[in-house]
Amino acid sequence: MPPCCATPHTTYTPKTTVSCQSTDPIPFFRRPGCVLIAVDPSHHTGFLWPNPQRGQIGSIDEKFKPYAKAGRLMLPAVSVVTPRTIVFVADHEVIKHIATNRSGIFEKDPQTYSVLHVYGHNIVGSDGPEWKKQREAARAAFNEGNVQLVWEESCRASRDAVALLDNSHMSTPPDVTQFLRKATSAFGQRFYYGKDRSASLPPGYTLQFGEALKLACEQMVTLWATPKWLYGLPIPWLRPFLSRVKLSYKELRGHLLRLIEHSRSTLVVDSNEKSHDNLLRRLVEANTLETDPAKRLTDEELLSNVFIFLVAGHETTAHTASFILAHLALYPDVQNRVFEEVKKVWPRYEDIQSAEEEYLLAVFRESLRHFPVAPRLPKVALQDTILHSHARFDSGPGSEPLSIAVPKGSLVVMDVMGANFNPAYWGDDASEFRPERFIDTADYRWPRDAFLAFSLGVRSCIGQRSGQVQTVCILAHLLRRYQVSLPPHLLGLPFEQQRRILLRFWLGASLSPTDIRLTFSRRKETV
């Protein structure tokens, strides 16, 4: 049985702060606990082997354990591959200092983010003045005024997906992530994964939009890490695979350009036409109407941003919703509470409208705490600097400040996964799935600054509100009509084994579920 989800709250006071004292830090290589690691997260080896084995610093599976074992929230290491000095940080105050970068000392590591520049520069992979330009251009599509539009698009996509589930005759539990891709709406574009290929296949194309997008997202690292000469080798199994990867990016580029041109054409025909209104149209419109050439995105930048927003708004939403449904199957009491809230807010399935669902949002945040889209965020130190924290993750008798000298060129890894399990903020039961920790009470306020799923400050994810709205919409439609439960092959296993198998993941461009399969049962009381 799962651990009780109704554990009484304890108020946890933040224990870690960034020290501003001018202590002489111990040189990096003489720092106690400095270890050699086999992987540099920003190097090719870091993408090909992104998650080292358990027990090693840098392993996502370890979460907060290395920091608890060392008794400190910053862990120095040296890569044997580069070699390069690396500091892993799980102190949210230090992460905030690095992420906001008011001093201008830290910037995104170009090598790490180059994997995202498939079609050119974009908001996610940029920094400095270039990032400001990209961010300003994207505001037209991602602002609070567009939330209702996101909800309406999501409702249409969710109802279409639920209708497919209603009409299906599943003999085996479906691949949940694959199914949820049909329920996510990106720029109002419909995705087809069924047998009717002609429904969305333009002349001269061999891959549907959805097929090309799925393959491109899954093989982003492959495209980035594979040298061009390897494509020509006559290896029977490799050449067809790489040719298909290359084809997916070529045809996806064509699909995206067709979407952009269609949005431009609707502006020319009628700028007030609302039937074609979607986030892509608003992004294209804002860029078209921009009179300052220095602020206007080039066609390549526009294309690259559309691709990134598709990845973020389509793939990562499907991944997040998959992890949430898996948790709900593992914790039926949590699922029942979500269903009761959804049923109370929307007495009928047909009445589902935008609303703030306290417990469903808590489940959303708790799942993201366990499985953040980006479990670690690397930055490079542009000059010699010093990071200050506490030597222990739980201040008390014997606690002492910790200062680490960070040489110019060092990689500083903001360990989101590690910080998300810091007991100083999330309690001694931080490893458990307990959505109640995200609900304020009379004597408790959940630690907003320690929730790093969307980064922090001005560099926080520009699409976080849209992603939240879309995920809540999908879950509301699914749970209002269906109950999710564990697949037959997991029934009867110990709970920890069920959780370990169901929540397996792999790390590519983002954290992705490996193979979540669940049983969907139609609710008898659905109106």
Side-chain angles (χ1 to χ4, degrees), residues 416-458:
V416 175
M417 183 70 89
N420 281 354
F421 288 84
N422 187 344
Y425 295 91
W426 302 111
D428 295 331
D429 63 346
S431 62
E432 300 299 332
F433 184 79
R434 187 167 62 83
E436 288 80 4
R437 75 178 84 247
F438 281 96
I439 296 178
D440 292 335
T441 64
D443 56 355
Y444 170 83
R445 179 176 170 82
W446 66 269
R448 285 148 173 85
D449 282 349
F451 183 56
L452 305 176
F454 297 107
S455 191
L456 289 167
V458 295

mmCIF file of all heavy atoms in Angstrom, residues 416-458:
data_model
loop_
_atom_site.group_PDB
_atom_site.id
_atom_site.type_symbol
_atom_site.label_atom_id
_atom_site.label_comp_id
_atom_site.label_asym_id
_atom_site.label_seq_id
_atom_site.Cartn_x
_atom_site.Cartn_y
_atom_site.Cartn_z
ATOM 1 N N VAL A 416 18.339 21.137 -9.963
ATOM 2 C CA VAL A 416 16.925 21.316 -9.625
ATOM 3 C C VAL A 416 16.379 20.080 -8.929
ATOM 4 O O VAL A 416 15.653 20.180 -7.935
ATOM 5 C CB VAL A 416 16.109 21.621 -10.899
ATOM 6 C CG1 VAL A 416 14.617 21.678 -10.592
ATOM 7 C CG2 VAL A 416 16.579 22.929 -11.528
ATOM 8 N N MET A 417 16.737 18.901 -9.441
ATOM 9 C CA MET A 417 16.255 17.662 -8.837
ATOM 10 C C MET A 417 16.723 17.539 -7.397
ATOM 11 O O MET A 417 15.954 17.180 -6.498
ATOM 12 C CB MET A 417 16.724 16.462 -9.648
ATOM 13 C CG MET A 417 16.213 15.120 -9.139
ATOM 14 S SD MET A 417 14.436 14.907 -9.394
ATOM 15 C CE MET A 417 14.436 14.180 -11.042
ATOM 16 N N GLY A 418 17.992 17.849 -7.145
ATOM 17 C CA GLY A 418 18.503 17.775 -5.784
ATOM 18 C C GLY A 418 17.820 18.760 -4.858
ATOM 19 O O GLY A 418 17.404 18.419 -3.743
ATOM 20 N N ALA A 419 17.674 20.018 -5.317
ATOM 21 C CA ALA A 419 17.038 21.051 -4.492
ATOM 22 C C ALA A 419 15.575 20.725 -4.214
ATOM 23 O O ALA A 419 15.042 21.086 -3.159
ATOM 24 C CB ALA A 419 17.151 22.406 -5.184
ATOM 25 N N ASN A 420 14.918 20.049 -5.143
ATOM 26 C CA ASN A 420 13.500 19.710 -4.964
ATOM 27 C C ASN A 420 13.274 18.695 -3.855
ATOM 28 O O ASN A 420 12.123 18.462 -3.459
ATOM 29 C CB ASN A 420 12.918 19.156 -6.266
ATOM 30 C CG ASN A 420 12.580 20.243 -7.260
ATOM 31 O OD1 ASN A 420 12.679 21.427 -6.954
ATOM 32 N ND2 ASN A 420 12.197 19.855 -8.454
ATOM 33 N N PHE A 421 14.337 18.078 -3.357
ATOM 34 C CA PHE A 421 14.199 17.093 -2.291
ATOM 35 C C PHE A 421 14.934 17.516 -1.028
ATOM 36 O O PHE A 421 15.218 16.691 -0.162
ATOM 37 C CB PHE A 421 14.692 15.721 -2.774
ATOM 38 C CG PHE A 421 13.770 15.075 -3.762
ATOM 39 C CD1 PHE A 421 13.846 15.380 -5.102
ATOM 40 C CD2 PHE A 421 12.786 14.188 -3.339
ATOM 41 C CE1 PHE A 421 12.981 14.809 -6.028
ATOM 42 C CE2 PHE A 421 11.914 13.604 -4.247
ATOM 43 C CZ PHE A 421 12.005 13.912 -5.592
ATOM 44 N N ASN A 422 15.254 18.799 -0.935
ATOM 45 C CA ASN A 422 15.903 19.338 0.256
ATOM 46 C C ASN A 422 14.912 19.326 1.418
ATOM 47 O O ASN A 422 13.899 20.027 1.385
ATOM 48 C CB ASN A 422 16.371 20.774 -0.017
ATOM 49 C CG ASN A 422 17.201 21.341 1.121
ATOM 50 O OD1 ASN A 422 17.208 20.821 2.227
ATOM 51 N ND2 ASN A 422 17.891 22.440 0.833
ATOM 52 N N PRO A 423 15.163 18.540 2.480
ATOM 53 C CA PRO A 423 14.210 18.451 3.596
ATOM 54 C C PRO A 423 14.036 19.747 4.359
ATOM 55 O O PRO A 423 13.043 19.922 5.067
ATOM 56 C CB PRO A 423 14.806 17.351 4.481
ATOM 57 C CG PRO A 423 16.256 17.340 4.149
ATOM 58 C CD PRO A 423 16.335 17.688 2.689
ATOM 59 N N ALA A 424 14.998 20.682 4.235
ATOM 60 C CA ALA A 424 14.861 21.963 4.926
ATOM 61 C C ALA A 424 13.643 22.729 4.427
ATOM 62 O O ALA A 424 13.091 23.556 5.137
ATOM 63 C CB ALA A 424 16.132 22.797 4.735
ATOM 64 N N TYR A 425 13.222 22.460 3.184
ATOM 65 C CA TYR A 425 12.071 23.157 2.609
ATOM 66 C C TYR A 425 10.875 22.236 2.405
ATOM 67 O O TYR A 425 9.727 22.669 2.498
ATOM 68 C CB TYR A 425 12.450 23.791 1.271
ATOM 69 C CG TYR A 425 13.477 24.882 1.414
ATOM 70 C CD1 TYR A 425 14.840 24.603 1.333
ATOM 71 C CD2 TYR A 425 13.084 26.194 1.688
ATOM 72 C CE1 TYR A 425 15.778 25.599 1.502
ATOM 73 C CE2 TYR A 425 14.019 27.190 1.850
ATOM 74 C CZ TYR A 425 15.364 26.888 1.762
ATOM 75 O OH TYR A 425 16.292 27.881 1.946
ATOM 76 N N TRP A 426 11.135 20.962 2.105
ATOM 77 C CA TRP A 426 10.041 20.066 1.726
ATOM 78 C C TRP A 426 9.746 19.015 2.781
ATOM 79 O O TRP A 426 8.873 18.173 2.567
ATOM 80 C CB TRP A 426 10.373 19.411 0.388
ATOM 81 C CG TRP A 426 10.611 20.431 -0.682
ATOM 82 C CD1 TRP A 426 11.787 20.730 -1.296
ATOM 83 C CD2 TRP A 426 9.641 21.329 -1.242
ATOM 84 N NE1 TRP A 426 11.621 21.747 -2.212
ATOM 85 C CE2 TRP A 426 10.307 22.134 -2.194
ATOM 86 C CE3 TRP A 426 8.267 21.528 -1.035
ATOM 87 C CZ2 TRP A 426 9.660 23.122 -2.925
ATOM 88 C CZ3 TRP A 426 7.622 22.513 -1.769
ATOM 89 C CH2 TRP A 426 8.313 23.297 -2.700
ATOM 90 N N GLY A 427 10.446 19.065 3.904
ATOM 91 C CA GLY A 427 10.116 18.173 5.011
ATOM 92 C C GLY A 427 10.889 16.868 4.981
ATOM 93 O O GLY A 427 11.501 16.491 3.984
ATOM 94 N N ASP A 428 10.830 16.162 6.089
ATOM 95 C CA ASP A 428 11.533 14.889 6.195
ATOM 96 C C ASP A 428 10.926 13.826 5.284
ATOM 97 O O ASP A 428 11.552 12.791 5.027
ATOM 98 C CB ASP A 428 11.509 14.396 7.641
ATOM 99 C CG ASP A 428 12.292 15.318 8.565
ATOM 100 O OD1 ASP A 428 13.256 15.953 8.075
ATOM 101 O OD2 ASP A 428 11.946 15.408 9.757
ATOM 102 N N ASP A 429 9.710 14.059 4.812
ATOM 103 C CA ASP A 429 9.057 13.112 3.901
ATOM 104 C C ASP A 429 9.160 13.598 2.447
ATOM 105 O O ASP A 429 8.311 13.273 1.616
ATOM 106 C CB ASP A 429 7.589 12.926 4.287
ATOM 107 C CG ASP A 429 6.774 14.210 4.155
ATOM 108 O OD1 ASP A 429 7.382 15.294 4.033
ATOM 109 O OD2 ASP A 429 5.530 14.128 4.159
ATOM 110 N N ALA A 430 10.224 14.358 2.134
ATOM 111 C CA ALA A 430 10.369 14.943 0.798
ATOM 112 C C ALA A 430 10.378 13.896 -0.309
ATOM 113 O O ALA A 430 10.009 14.187 -1.447
ATOM 114 C CB ALA A 430 11.644 15.777 0.727
ATOM 115 N N SER A 431 10.782 12.674 0.002
ATOM 116 C CA SER A 431 10.829 11.625 -1.026
ATOM 117 C C SER A 431 9.455 11.059 -1.338
ATOM 118 O O SER A 431 9.285 10.358 -2.338
ATOM 119 C CB SER A 431 11.762 10.497 -0.582
ATOM 120 O OG SER A 431 11.282 9.887 0.605
ATOM 121 N N GLU A 432 8.459 11.360 -0.511
ATOM 122 C CA GLU A 432 7.110 10.843 -0.729
ATOM 123 C C GLU A 432 6.295 11.778 -1.617
ATOM 124 O O GLU A 432 6.556 12.981 -1.696
ATOM 125 C CB GLU A 432 6.383 10.659 0.607
ATOM 126 C CG GLU A 432 7.066 9.693 1.561
ATOM 127 C CD GLU A 432 7.173 8.293 0.987
ATOM 128 O OE1 GLU A 432 6.313 7.918 0.160
ATOM 129 O OE2 GLU A 432 8.112 7.571 1.360
ATOM 130 N N PHE A 433 5.297 11.207 -2.274
ATOM 131 C CA PHE A 433 4.384 11.994 -3.099
ATOM 132 C C PHE A 433 3.225 12.455 -2.214
ATOM 133 O O PHE A 433 2.356 11.675 -1.840
ATOM 134 C CB PHE A 433 3.866 11.142 -4.264
ATOM 135 C CG PHE A 433 2.983 11.900 -5.223
ATOM 136 C CD1 PHE A 433 3.527 12.736 -6.184
ATOM 137 C CD2 PHE A 433 1.603 11.778 -5.162
ATOM 138 C CE1 PHE A 433 2.720 13.432 -7.072
ATOM 139 C CE2 PHE A 433 0.777 12.464 -6.042
ATOM 140 C CZ PHE A 433 1.339 13.292 -6.997
ATOM 141 N N ARG A 434 3.236 13.738 -1.870
ATOM 142 C CA ARG A 434 2.208 14.280 -0.974
ATOM 143 C C ARG A 434 1.808 15.676 -1.447
ATOM 144 O O ARG A 434 2.439 16.664 -1.104
ATOM 145 C CB ARG A 434 2.734 14.330 0.460
ATOM 146 C CG ARG A 434 1.676 14.719 1.483
ATOM 147 C CD ARG A 434 2.138 14.444 2.907
ATOM 148 N NE ARG A 434 3.313 15.202 3.260
ATOM 149 C CZ ARG A 434 3.285 16.482 3.684
ATOM 150 N NH1 ARG A 434 2.141 17.124 3.780
ATOM 151 N NH2 ARG A 434 4.399 17.095 4.001
ATOM 152 N N PRO A 435 0.759 15.786 -2.263
ATOM 153 C CA PRO A 435 0.339 17.084 -2.812
ATOM 154 C C PRO A 435 -0.023 18.111 -1.760
ATOM 155 O O PRO A 435 0.042 19.319 -2.023
ATOM 156 C CB PRO A 435 -0.886 16.720 -3.657
ATOM 157 C CG PRO A 435 -0.723 15.265 -3.971
ATOM 158 C CD PRO A 435 -0.066 14.679 -2.775
ATOM 159 N N GLU A 436 -0.405 17.654 -0.565
ATOM 160 C CA GLU A 436 -0.806 18.597 0.486
ATOM 161 C C GLU A 436 0.283 19.593 0.835
ATOM 162 O O GLU A 436 -0.011 20.678 1.373
ATOM 163 C CB GLU A 436 -1.201 17.821 1.757
ATOM 164 C CG GLU A 436 -2.527 17.080 1.651
ATOM 165 C CD GLU A 436 -2.411 15.763 0.895
ATOM 166 O OE1 GLU A 436 -1.283 15.381 0.504
ATOM 167 O OE2 GLU A 436 -3.444 15.116 0.681
ATOM 168 N N ARG A 437 1.530 19.265 0.531
ATOM 169 C CA ARG A 437 2.618 20.197 0.866
ATOM 170 C C ARG A 437 2.538 21.475 0.013
ATOM 171 O O ARG A 437 3.216 22.447 0.291
ATOM 172 C CB ARG A 437 3.973 19.499 0.711
ATOM 173 C CG ARG A 437 4.432 19.286 -0.701
ATOM 174 C CD ARG A 437 5.815 18.639 -0.765
ATOM 175 N NE ARG A 437 5.752 17.184 -0.637
ATOM 176 C CZ ARG A 437 6.229 16.502 0.380
ATOM 177 N NH1 ARG A 437 6.805 17.146 1.389
ATOM 178 N NH2 ARG A 437 6.137 15.187 0.426
ATOM 179 N N PHE A 438 1.710 21.459 -1.040
ATOM 180 C CA PHE A 438 1.539 22.645 -1.893
ATOM 181 C C PHE A 438 0.225 23.374 -1.617
ATOM 182 O O PHE A 438 -0.228 24.160 -2.452
ATOM 183 C CB PHE A 438 1.610 22.248 -3.369
ATOM 184 C CG PHE A 438 3.010 22.033 -3.862
ATOM 185 C CD1 PHE A 438 3.552 20.758 -3.899
ATOM 186 C CD2 PHE A 438 3.796 23.108 -4.253
ATOM 187 C CE1 PHE A 438 4.854 20.554 -4.347
ATOM 188 C CE2 PHE A 438 5.094 22.919 -4.695
ATOM 189 C CZ PHE A 438 5.628 21.637 -4.733
ATOM 190 N N ILE A 439 -0.362 23.139 -0.470
ATOM 191 C CA ILE A 439 -1.602 23.827 -0.099
ATOM 192 C C ILE A 439 -1.355 24.642 1.166
ATOM 193 O O ILE A 439 -0.941 24.100 2.199
ATOM 194 C CB ILE A 439 -2.748 22.816 0.125
ATOM 195 C CG1 ILE A 439 -3.060 22.079 -1.183
ATOM 196 C CG2 ILE A 439 -4.001 23.534 0.637
ATOM 197 C CD1 ILE A 439 -4.142 21.030 -1.058
ATOM 198 N N ASP A 440 -1.596 25.924 1.086
ATOM 199 C CA ASP A 440 -1.416 26.799 2.246
ATOM 200 C C ASP A 440 -2.474 26.515 3.303
ATOM 201 O O ASP A 440 -3.634 26.187 2.986
ATOM 202 C CB ASP A 440 -1.513 28.268 1.825
ATOM 203 C CG ASP A 440 -0.349 28.706 0.941
ATOM 204 O OD1 ASP A 440 0.723 28.084 1.031
ATOM 205 O OD2 ASP A 440 -0.541 29.654 0.149
ATOM 206 N N THR A 441 -2.074 26.653 4.557
ATOM 207 C CA THR A 441 -3.015 26.545 5.674
ATOM 208 C C THR A 441 -2.826 27.774 6.556
ATOM 209 O O THR A 441 -2.051 28.675 6.238
ATOM 210 C CB THR A 441 -2.752 25.267 6.487
ATOM 211 O OG1 THR A 441 -1.450 25.336 7.087
ATOM 212 C CG2 THR A 441 -2.837 24.027 5.598
ATOM 213 N N ALA A 442 -3.520 27.784 7.678
ATOM 214 C CA ALA A 442 -3.444 28.934 8.578
ATOM 215 C C ALA A 442 -2.035 29.118 9.139
ATOM 216 O O ALA A 442 -1.609 30.244 9.405
ATOM 217 C CB ALA A 442 -4.446 28.774 9.718
ATOM 218 N N ASP A 443 -1.295 28.024 9.323
ATOM 219 C CA ASP A 443 0.050 28.127 9.909
ATOM 220 C C ASP A 443 1.147 27.600 8.993
ATOM 221 O O ASP A 443 2.253 27.302 9.434
ATOM 222 C CB ASP A 443 0.099 27.372 11.245
ATOM 223 C CG ASP A 443 -0.321 25.920 11.096
ATOM 224 O OD1 ASP A 443 -0.729 25.517 9.986
ATOM 225 O OD2 ASP A 443 -0.233 25.186 12.099
ATOM 226 N N TYR A 444 0.834 27.491 7.711
ATOM 227 C CA TYR A 444 1.832 26.978 6.765
ATOM 228 C C TYR A 444 1.646 27.641 5.405
ATOM 229 O O TYR A 444 0.518 27.801 4.927
ATOM 230 C CB TYR A 444 1.692 25.461 6.620
ATOM 231 C CG TYR A 444 2.522 24.864 5.485
ATOM 232 C CD1 TYR A 444 3.863 24.561 5.664
ATOM 233 C CD2 TYR A 444 1.948 24.618 4.238
ATOM 234 C CE1 TYR A 444 4.623 24.011 4.641
ATOM 235 C CE2 TYR A 444 2.698 24.074 3.199
ATOM 236 C CZ TYR A 444 4.036 23.772 3.405
ATOM 237 O OH TYR A 444 4.773 23.233 2.384
ATOM 238 N N ARG A 445 2.746 28.040 4.805
ATOM 239 C CA ARG A 445 2.742 28.591 3.458
ATOM 240 C C ARG A 445 3.830 27.866 2.668
ATOM 241 O O ARG A 445 4.998 27.883 3.059
ATOM 242 C CB ARG A 445 3.016 30.098 3.485
ATOM 243 C CG ARG A 445 3.044 30.767 2.106
ATOM 244 C CD ARG A 445 3.216 32.276 2.251
ATOM 245 N NE ARG A 445 3.488 32.924 0.979
ATOM 246 C CZ ARG A 445 2.554 33.263 0.100
ATOM 247 N NH1 ARG A 445 1.277 32.990 0.353
ATOM 248 N NH2 ARG A 445 2.880 33.860 -1.037
ATOM 249 N N TRP A 446 3.420 27.203 1.601
ATOM 250 C CA TRP A 446 4.412 26.379 0.892
ATOM 251 C C TRP A 446 5.519 27.258 0.315
ATOM 252 O O TRP A 446 5.284 28.394 -0.114
ATOM 253 C CB TRP A 446 3.760 25.486 -0.164
ATOM 254 C CG TRP A 446 3.106 26.128 -1.341
ATOM 255 C CD1 TRP A 446 1.804 26.508 -1.454
ATOM 256 C CD2 TRP A 446 3.715 26.416 -2.605
ATOM 257 N NE1 TRP A 446 1.556 27.017 -2.700
ATOM 258 C CE2 TRP A 446 2.714 26.976 -3.435
ATOM 259 C CE3 TRP A 446 4.991 26.255 -3.139
ATOM 260 C CZ2 TRP A 446 2.961 27.378 -4.750
ATOM 261 C CZ3 TRP A 446 5.242 26.662 -4.442
ATOM 262 C CH2 TRP A 446 4.228 27.209 -5.224
ATOM 263 N N PRO A 447 6.745 26.759 0.309
ATOM 264 C CA PRO A 447 7.924 27.578 -0.046
ATOM 265 C C PRO A 447 8.030 27.849 -1.543
ATOM 266 O O PRO A 447 8.664 27.117 -2.290
ATOM 267 C CB PRO A 447 9.092 26.731 0.450
ATOM 268 C CG PRO A 447 8.586 25.325 0.381
ATOM 269 C CD PRO A 447 7.122 25.401 0.718
ATOM 270 N N ARG A 448 7.439 28.931 -1.977
ATOM 271 C CA ARG A 448 7.406 29.251 -3.409
ATOM 272 C C ARG A 448 8.793 29.468 -4.014
ATOM 273 O O ARG A 448 9.050 29.084 -5.144
ATOM 274 C CB ARG A 448 6.516 30.472 -3.636
ATOM 275 C CG ARG A 448 5.012 30.117 -3.508
ATOM 276 C CD ARG A 448 4.214 31.282 -2.962
ATOM 277 N NE ARG A 448 2.772 31.025 -2.989
ATOM 278 C CZ ARG A 448 2.125 30.367 -2.033
ATOM 279 N NH1 ARG A 448 2.781 29.877 -0.983
ATOM 280 N NH2 ARG A 448 0.814 30.184 -2.116
ATOM 281 N N ASP A 449 9.685 30.093 -3.257
ATOM 282 C CA ASP A 449 11.024 30.359 -3.775
ATOM 283 C C ASP A 449 11.835 29.081 -3.945
ATOM 284 O O ASP A 449 12.818 29.056 -4.698
ATOM 285 C CB ASP A 449 11.777 31.314 -2.845
ATOM 286 C CG ASP A 449 11.337 32.758 -3.032
ATOM 287 O OD1 ASP A 449 10.622 33.023 -4.010
ATOM 288 O OD2 ASP A 449 11.694 33.603 -2.195
ATOM 289 N N ALA A 450 11.452 28.017 -3.254
ATOM 290 C CA ALA A 450 12.195 26.759 -3.343
ATOM 291 C C ALA A 450 11.633 25.835 -4.425
ATOM 292 O O ALA A 450 12.189 24.764 -4.666
ATOM 293 C CB ALA A 450 12.166 26.043 -1.991
ATOM 294 N N PHE A 451 10.544 26.238 -5.067
ATOM 295 C CA PHE A 451 9.946 25.438 -6.138
ATOM 296 C C PHE A 451 10.593 25.857 -7.456
ATOM 297 O O PHE A 451 10.328 26.928 -7.990
ATOM 298 C CB PHE A 451 8.437 25.660 -6.179
ATOM 299 C CG PHE A 451 7.723 24.823 -7.204
ATOM 300 C CD1 PHE A 451 7.836 23.446 -7.195
ATOM 301 C CD2 PHE A 451 6.926 25.412 -8.174
ATOM 302 C CE1 PHE A 451 7.173 22.667 -8.137
ATOM 303 C CE2 PHE A 451 6.255 24.651 -9.117
ATOM 304 C CZ PHE A 451 6.382 23.267 -9.092
ATOM 305 N N LEU A 452 11.454 25.001 -7.983
ATOM 306 C CA LEU A 452 12.318 25.374 -9.104
ATOM 307 C C LEU A 452 11.897 24.755 -10.434
ATOM 308 O O LEU A 452 12.679 24.761 -11.392
ATOM 309 C CB LEU A 452 13.761 24.967 -8.793
ATOM 310 C CG LEU A 452 14.338 25.507 -7.481
ATOM 311 C CD1 LEU A 452 15.732 24.939 -7.245
ATOM 312 C CD2 LEU A 452 14.380 27.026 -7.489
ATOM 313 N N ALA A 453 10.684 24.222 -10.516
ATOM 314 C CA ALA A 453 10.261 23.528 -11.739
ATOM 315 C C ALA A 453 10.286 24.440 -12.959
ATOM 316 O O ALA A 453 10.494 23.983 -14.085
ATOM 317 C CB ALA A 453 8.863 22.944 -11.551
ATOM 318 N N PHE A 454 10.053 25.754 -12.753
ATOM 319 C CA PHE A 454 10.035 26.694 -13.875
ATOM 320 C C PHE A 454 11.165 27.707 -13.791
ATOM 321 O O PHE A 454 11.085 28.785 -14.361
ATOM 322 C CB PHE A 454 8.698 27.437 -13.915
ATOM 323 C CG PHE A 454 7.518 26.537 -14.148
ATOM 324 C CD1 PHE A 454 6.636 26.242 -13.129
ATOM 325 C CD2 PHE A 454 7.303 25.974 -15.395
ATOM 326 C CE1 PHE A 454 5.549 25.409 -13.342
ATOM 327 C CE2 PHE A 454 6.222 25.145 -15.623
ATOM 328 C CZ PHE A 454 5.337 24.858 -14.596
ATOM 329 N N SER A 455 12.245 27.356 -13.061
ATOM 330 C CA SER A 455 13.359 28.258 -12.832
ATOM 331 C C SER A 455 12.897 29.421 -11.950
ATOM 332 O O SER A 455 11.859 29.352 -11.311
ATOM 333 C CB SER A 455 13.966 28.750 -14.148
ATOM 334 O OG SER A 455 15.196 29.416 -13.899
ATOM 335 N N LEU A 456 13.670 30.523 -11.943
ATOM 336 C CA LEU A 456 13.384 31.611 -11.010
ATOM 337 C C LEU A 456 13.544 32.965 -11.686
ATOM 338 O O LEU A 456 14.273 33.112 -12.666
ATOM 339 C CB LEU A 456 14.339 31.547 -9.811
ATOM 340 C CG LEU A 456 14.137 30.408 -8.807
ATOM 341 C CD1 LEU A 456 15.347 30.318 -7.902
ATOM 342 C CD2 LEU A 456 12.872 30.618 -7.993
ATOM 343 N N GLY A 457 12.872 33.951 -11.125
ATOM 344 C CA GLY A 457 13.061 35.336 -11.544
ATOM 345 C C GLY A 457 12.668 35.606 -12.980
ATOM 346 O O GLY A 457 11.814 34.941 -13.563
ATOM 347 N N VAL A 458 13.342 36.603 -13.590
ATOM 348 C CA VAL A 458 13.008 37.009 -14.955
ATOM 349 C C VAL A 458 13.333 35.911 -15.961
ATOM 350 O O VAL A 458 12.820 35.908 -17.074
ATOM 351 C CB VAL A 458 13.760 38.303 -15.334
ATOM 352 C CG1 VAL A 458 13.300 39.449 -14.477
ATOM 353 C CG2 VAL A 458 15.271 38.107 -15.221
#
